[in-house]
Amino acid sequence: MQINYWFLLSRVPFLSVMIAPYILGAVLANRILCVFNWPVFYLGLIAAILVQLIAHYSGEVYDLQEDRLSVKLEKNFFTGGSQVLVENLITLRAVKIAIAVILFLAVAAGLCLQFYYHCGGWTMALGFSGIFCACFYSQPPLRLVSRGGWGEILIAYAFGWLSVNTGFYLQTGRFDPRLTLFSLPIAYSVVNLILVNEYPDYPADRQSGKHNLLIRLGKEKGAWLYACLVVLQAAAFLLSLGKGLPVLAGILYLPVLILAGYLAYQMLKGAYNDQGRLEKICLGSILVNLGITLACILGVLFS
């Protein structure tokens, strides 16, 4: 039964938000420079998953007050954490120990990648920037999730630029400026994913003093920001097609864009005020984020 609780705490389905961009970076390395090292790919993927688990566990530990309130207020399936710590199914001490162990394993994997596989001098720097995001998004004293926009910027970096470029860099030992452009649609969509998930937590966050981006903007302005990010996402994807992303990726992106546009329209119409419709928008925002990355991966692989 403990295994089930750790599975819930790890929020395993949400690991895909990081795994897919990492795979895209590795696939682009093969397309652009014709290199691919399977052991490096797998070890890098394991390290990336470990870092995201640190983020998930830290969020559970340091958002405990908000998660308790969320149960009583507007929690839906996609927010309020796993509730494992709220219901005391695993002890707080056990989770903190797990964070320390996972941190050690992540650093060990990074050292192996840099000094055994010789992936490049920036390997550990990329890893430590990911660990910084994972720890201090939720953890004091920085707790960037509560600093009115800084947490969302951190998320855009970690699940956009960092994930894609790490997958590429570990394979090639170099950076390519085109990957920054290719990662922008993913970054914009992941900010929308976080933003819309802040809506059902809004009463709990406000009551507990958590000053995230939505608390600063308010719900109506948050909806306009969501719509603007969809426009920026589409513009960045279109520019990417002109800079080397295959046309097939653009074709596969079309249904994703239609879904993103529909979700933006729903937000502007105030659908966030209805709990059932909001839950569907949360699900749709996940599908948009994954759909963008999958469109790029499949476009690169089959072109």
Side-chain angles (χ1 to χ4, degrees), residues 163-294:
S163 296
V164 175
N165 280 273
T166 297
F168 184 88
Y169 183 84
L170 292 181
Q171 295 294 327
T172 65
R174 67 182 70 176
F175 296 105
D176 188 313
R178 287 174 292 178
L179 268 74
T180 295
L181 177 59
F182 297 166
S183 69
L184 282 178
I186 301 170
Y188 291 136
S189 67
V190 82
V191 172
N192 265 350
L193 173 57
I194 294 299
L195 180 65
V196 76
N197 281 338
E198 290 172 354
Y199 275 83
D201 281 339
Y202 187 85
D205 289 343
R206 196 171 181 184
Q207 191 171 325
S208 63
K210 184 177 180 180
H211 298 291
N212 56 34
L213 183 58
L214 187 63
I215 296 295
R216 170 173 287 188
L217 291 177
K219 291 187 176 182
E220 186 175 347
K221 289 181 180 178
W224 279 100
L225 176 60
Y226 186 101
C228 288
L229 287 171
V230 169
V231 173
L232 289 173
Q233 167 210 126
F237 204 104
L238 183 61
L239 287 173
S240 297
L241 294 175
K243 294 295 182 178
L245 201 64
V247 174
L248 178 59
I251 295 171
L252 295 173
Y253 171 64
L254 281 176
V256 180
L257 178 59
I258 292 170
L259 175 59
Y262 174 76
L263 296 175
Y265 172 77
Q266 288 294 306
M267 290 293 289
L268 292 176
K269 294 291 286 184
Y272 52 80
N273 290 314
D274 182 277
Q275 189 170 351
R277 293 167 71 191
L278 177 59
E279 194 163 34
K280 292 176 181 177
I281 295 173
C282 290
L283 173 60
S285 298
I286 294 174
L287 295 177
V288 167
N289 174 261
L290 292 176
I292 290 170
T293 315
L294 289 175

Side-chain angles (χ1 to χ4, degrees), residues 40-186:
V40 166
F41 172 80
Y42 286 124
L43 185 57
L45 181 60
I46 290 169
I49 290 172
L50 290 172
V51 172
Q52 191 173 352
L53 286 176
I54 293 172
H56 287 185
Y57 292 175
S58 296
E60 295 283 336
V61 170
Y62 296 102
D63 285 343
L64 192 54
Q65 179 184 358
E66 292 89 335
D67 290 346
R68 286 193 178 113
L69 287 171
S70 186
V71 178
K72 303 173 184 177
L73 300 172
E74 292 188 28
K75 181 183 184 301
N76 71 23
F77 179 78
F78 298 99
T79 59
S82 68
Q83 297 295 302
V84 169
L85 289 181
V86 172
E87 297 177 14
N88 202 30
L89 300 173
I90 297 175
T91 66
L92 194 62
R93 181 174 179 272
V95 177
K96 288 184 176 181
I97 291 172
I99 291 172
V101 172
I102 293 170
L103 177 59
F104 172 81
L105 293 174
V107 172
L111 290 170
C112 185
L113 286 165
Q114 180 158 340
F115 297 108
Y116 181 77
Y117 286 107
H118 304 289
C119 290
W122 287 95
T123 299
M124 290 301 295
L126 290 169
F128 279 124
S129 76
I131 290 171
F132 176 87
C133 295
C135 290
F136 293 111
Y137 177 73
S138 299
Q139 186 174 326
L142 296 182
R143 192 162 165 72
L144 295 172
V145 67
S146 190
R147 294 186 182 271
W150 285 106
E152 289 78 5
I153 292 171
L154 208 69
I155 289 290
Y157 166 75
F159 293 99
W161 189 91
L162 181 61
S163 296
V164 175
N165 280 273
T166 297
F168 184 88
Y169 183 84
L170 292 181
Q171 295 294 327
T172 65
R174 67 182 70 176
F175 296 105
D176 188 313
R178 287 174 292 178
L179 268 74
T180 295
L181 177 59
F182 297 166
S183 69
L184 282 178
I186 301 170

